[in-house]
Amino acid sequence: MKILVLGGTAWLGGKITTAALRLGHDVTALARGESGPVPDGAVFRRADRDLPDAYAAVGRQSWDAVVDVSSQPGQVRRAAEALAGCADRYIFVSSCSVYAGHDVPGADESAPLLPALNADVMASMETYGEAKAACEQHVLDAFGPGRAIIARAGLIAGPGDVSDRTGYWPLRFARPAAPDDSVLVPDAPELATQVIDVRDLAAWLVGAAERKASGTFNAVGEPMMLSAHLELARQAAGHTGPVVSVAPQRLADAGVNYWSGERSLPLWLPLPEYSGFASRDNRAAVAAGLKLRPLAETLADVLDWEQAAGPDRERKAGLTAQEERELLAAL
């Protein structure tokens, strides 16, 4: 197959390119080339997707599939319109953030969506869900539902996750901040987690192109309670010290943030408004060929990557060691 990856140099795009090359496909990556090297074996076309002539060269070729991971509606609209006449199908990696609500466990792809962003540019992450909803609509307008795959990904995990949301816990258990090796965790027995390994997502997207699939799918992993997820992270790290569970209200009162960013506990979310955020129905994607590796394998591989990448690098999520020591002393 001839596959055009719009991007192909950053984390997910690179994994998609690598997966397609491994299966013997002819892959071209169209990107600015600023997010990393193009995997060996792929053809690189340098282009800025914000410019009107970005698709001039690739638009004169025929493609079995186009894969797009952008969050900018204008980029996706221009690409879909430019390539509709030369590509068999368009695979768009969207997000479960397009859903209007996250309080219903087990919700499927028919759940209500946020209104599409009425702009070409997502000015901030505050409108990420609306921007992805607009991108979906642009793809469907240009290719129609029979020639499009909309993959609504959940939290993507695995080696290379610089968001630090999936690597924080195995690394913290491997390197406790407290002198007695204690690790602080949220006491949230009713909170679920749901991650998909980046390698599984990439393999499924390439397979969907091979099978000429179409449709909208929740591309998510299997739901698992946060406590079970943390226990697997602890096992991956070989941690044997105390685990200190702190009530959500006490964490919030102490200024600990949800999910990501500074002074946060990754994967932790408020209930009940997020009781369905990490427990969406993935049966359609599984029926369409999605294969999921055990979470224990993903966490072990993430820990290996974290340790090789440099555990002391500046991080985008989690508590610093000093913050955790102070919280353990205070709480």
Side-chain angles (χ1 to χ4, degrees), residues 229-240:
H229 184 125
L230 296 183
E231 179 57 29
L232 288 177
R234 186 169 182 252
Q235 292 174 12
H239 179 259
T240 57

Side-chain angles (χ1 to χ4, degrees), residues 168 172 177 184 255-256 261-264 317-331:
Y168 173 82
R172 174 61 82 220
L184 183 151
V256 179
E262 295 182 356
R263 197 177 170 81
S264 67
L319 300 172
T320 66
Q322 181 63 29
E323 287 170 344
E324 181 159 347
R325 285 192 291 270
E326 291 172 354
L327 285 166
L328 285 168
L331 300 176

Side-chain angles (χ1 to χ4, degrees), residues 27-39:
V27 185
T28 296
L30 183 145
R32 291 177 300 173
E34 298 177 357
S35 299
V38 176

Side-chain angles (χ1 to χ4, degrees), residues 251-252 255-266 268 319:
L251 291 171
V256 179
N257 295 311
Y258 296 107
W259 191 246
S260 66
E262 295 182 356
R263 197 177 170 81
S264 67
L265 285 178
W268 177 47
L319 300 172

Side-chain angles (χ1 to χ4, degrees), residues 204-293:
W204 177 66
L205 293 170
V206 175
E210 292 175 329
R211 293 186 292 273
K212 296 186 178 296
S214 62
T216 299
F217 305 91
N218 288 334
V220 295
E222 296 296 342
M224 177 180 289
M225 304 313 291
L226 176 62
S227 57
H229 184 125
L230 296 183
E231 179 57 29
L232 288 177
R234 186 169 182 252
Q235 292 174 12
H239 179 259
T240 57
V243 177
V244 181
S245 297
V246 180
Q249 190 58 55
R250 295 189 72 194
L251 291 171
D253 291 344
V256 179
N257 295 311
Y258 296 107
W259 191 246
S260 66
E262 295 182 356
R263 197 177 170 81
S264 67
L265 285 178
L267 307 183
W268 177 47
L269 287 167
L271 296 176
E273 57 266 46
Y274 282 92
S275 57
F277 182 82
S279 57
R280 293 198 175 272
D281 187 346
N282 67 358
R283 288 179 294 179
V286 171
L290 176 61
K291 292 180 172 57
L292 301 166
R293 73 190 65 207

Side-chain angles (χ1 to χ4, degrees), residues 99-120:
Y99 291 114
H102 302 286
D103 58 340
V104 179
D108 64 14
E109 292 83 356
S110 66
L113 305 182
L114 291 168
L117 185 67
N118 187 25
D120 275 353

Side-chain angles (χ1 to χ4, degrees), residues 92-248:
F92 179 66
V93 181
S94 186
S95 167
C96 287
S97 294
V98 300
Y99 291 114
H102 302 286
D103 58 340
V104 179
D108 64 14
E109 292 83 356
S110 66
L113 305 182
L114 291 168
L117 185 67
N118 187 25
D120 275 353
V121 178
M122 176 185 67
S124 77
M125 290 301 291
E126 295 297 318
T127 57
Y128 176 73
E130 291 87 345
K132 281 290 195 180
C135 293
E136 289 187 7
Q137 192 56 58
H138 291 321
V139 172
L140 293 171
D141 286 346
F143 278 78
R147 296 170 57 209
I149 297 171
I150 305 296
R152 292 174 181 157
L155 178 59
I156 304 173
D161 178 16
V162 295
S163 78
D164 300 322
R165 289 174 293 186
T166 55
Y168 173 82
W169 289 110
L171 184 61
R172 174 61 82 220
F173 280 117
R175 303 180 75 207
D180 66 349
D181 289 345
S182 293
V183 174
L184 183 151
V185 303
D187 185 11
E190 297 179 354
L191 179 64
T193 64
Q194 190 173 38
V195 304
I196 183 168
D197 192 294
V198 65
R199 297 163 293 186
D200 297 338
L201 177 58
W204 177 66
L205 293 170
V206 175
E210 292 175 329
R211 293 186 292 273
K212 296 186 178 296
S214 62
T216 299
F217 305 91
N218 288 334
V220 295
E222 296 296 342
M224 177 180 289
M225 304 313 291
L226 176 62
S227 57
H229 184 125
L230 296 183
E231 179 57 29
L232 288 177
R234 186 169 182 252
Q235 292 174 12
H239 179 259
T240 57
V243 177
V244 181
S245 297
V246 180

